[in-house]
Amino acid sequence: MKAETVRYILDTIGAMFPDAHCELNHSNAFELTIAVLLSAQCTDETVNKVTKDLFQKYKTPEDYVSVPLEELEQDIRRIGLYRNKAKHIHNLCRILIEQYGGEVPREHDKLVQLPGVGRKTANVVVSNAFDVPAIAVDTHVERVSKRLALAGWKDSVLEVEKKLMKRVPKDEWTITHHRLIFFGRYHCKAQNPKCQVCPLLDVCREGKKRMKTSQIRKDKEHTG
């Protein structure tokens, strides 16, 4: 893909969602880490409802490890996979206390070693909490990147991340991550993307295919 096309895509999505940001409510790196861990296979909206009370009750890693696992499970039971996630949080908080003085480490390689923290979570934490440029690839970023041919259909999540890092200027990585999420969440949805009103239709292989299919369907209905 030509550099001008990438620039055009980034500028268009930037104009559509200039104020894109992390929608998980948090007030520090520790809360953000917990929120992102909870958000796996769960909407930000649900996570925010749960963390509203959770972050009132638990302020530090010590607070989490001082309650029985069952109590923490009850506190997050509205979240998918809550038992697993409660276990991860307990273990993560224990490691933070024992190895990092209760603080979330700033280094990506240390973050990914924490229980329940994968590459995506680590990228979100370093970019939002510590201002380190990173592109976290979630389902929205992956879907949009593949539809717009910024990545290949068969690319793994890591391959998508590497291609975006190569194509997007480093100082725009974090904001691009947020904008691609907003674009995927509110416009280029998994089901029923808004292709007919999309300003990127001319450079979107998925959109062109969808519009063609819907036109053929309309023509059939018309002639039928």
Side-chain angles (χ1 to χ4, degrees):
M1 179 179 280
K2 290 180 183 167
E4 310 78 281
T5 311
V6 176
R7 188 70 263 162
Y8 171 65
I9 289 170
L10 297 180
D11 290 345
T12 305
I13 292 177
M16 290 172 77
F17 299 103
D19 303 320
H21 58 279
C22 176
E23 291 196 298
L24 290 168
N25 295 334
H26 65 280
S27 56
N28 55 50
F30 176 57
E31 287 186 353
L32 178 62
T33 306
I34 299 294
V36 185
L37 189 155
L38 291 173
S39 73
Q41 297 175 314
C42 184
T43 66
D44 287 2
E45 201 181 344
T46 304
V47 174
N48 286 337
K49 281 178 187 163
V50 170
T51 56
K52 192 169 183 255
D53 295 326
L54 197 72
F55 293 162
Q56 288 293 313
K57 181 174 176 179
Y58 304 97
K59 303 284 185 190
T60 64
E62 287 81 2
D63 293 340
Y64 284 95
V65 297
S66 68
V67 301
L69 188 59
E70 295 73 26
E71 188 176 334
L72 181 56
E73 284 178 359
Q74 288 309 308
D75 290 333
I76 63 167
R77 63 171 301 129
R78 282 183 290 168
I79 301 244
L81 309 171
Y82 70 93
R83 283 201 174 91
N84 251 347
K85 290 175 182 177
K87 208 179 294 168
H88 285 325
I89 290 170
H90 250 196
N91 293 335
L92 178 145
C93 289
R94 214 165 270 130
I95 292 171
L96 291 185
I97 295 163
E98 289 166 9
Q99 296 180 24
Y100 300 108
E103 297 293 322
V104 172
R106 292 168 170 261
E107 297 81 9
H108 193 278
D109 56 341
K110 287 179 180 168
L111 280 164
V112 289
Q113 288 169 20
L114 295 170
V117 176
R119 191 175 175 84
K120 184 198 85 172
T121 303
N123 281 344
V124 173
V125 173
V126 296
S127 60
N128 290 284
F130 303 126
D131 290 327
V132 176
I135 296 179
V137 179
D138 71 348
T139 52
H140 299 298
V141 175
E142 183 182 3
R143 180 175 70 253
V144 169
S145 300
K146 289 180 175 181
R147 283 180 175 175
L148 290 169
L150 290 165
W153 287 121
K154 292 183 177 172
D155 284 351
S156 67
V157 170
L158 184 57
E159 285 167 334
V160 173
E161 184 187 328
K162 284 181 176 170
K163 284 185 180 174
L164 288 173
M165 284 164 75
K166 208 153 85 181
R167 292 181 161 149
V168 177
K170 191 171 183 176
D171 61 343
E172 294 178 42
W173 285 357
T174 301
I175 188 63
T176 297
H177 153 74
H178 292 312
R179 285 173 176 167
L180 289 173
I181 287 177
F182 269 54
F183 185 73
R185 188 175 283 159
Y186 302 113
H187 182 82
C188 188
K189 300 174 183 181
Q191 310 295 331
N192 307 317
K194 301 176 182 177
C195 300
Q196 64 281 13
V197 294
C198 185
L200 288 174
L201 185 60
D202 54 334
V203 294
C204 179
R205 53 185 178 177
E206 170 82 4
K208 284 176 184 165
K209 198 170 76 188
R210 280 175 178 267
M211 294 305 282
K212 201 172 170 185
T213 309
S214 92
Q215 191 54 53
I216 291 167
R217 205 178 292 124
K218 277 179 193 161
D219 291 346
K220 274 186 183 164
E221 284 167 10
H222 195 62
T223 52

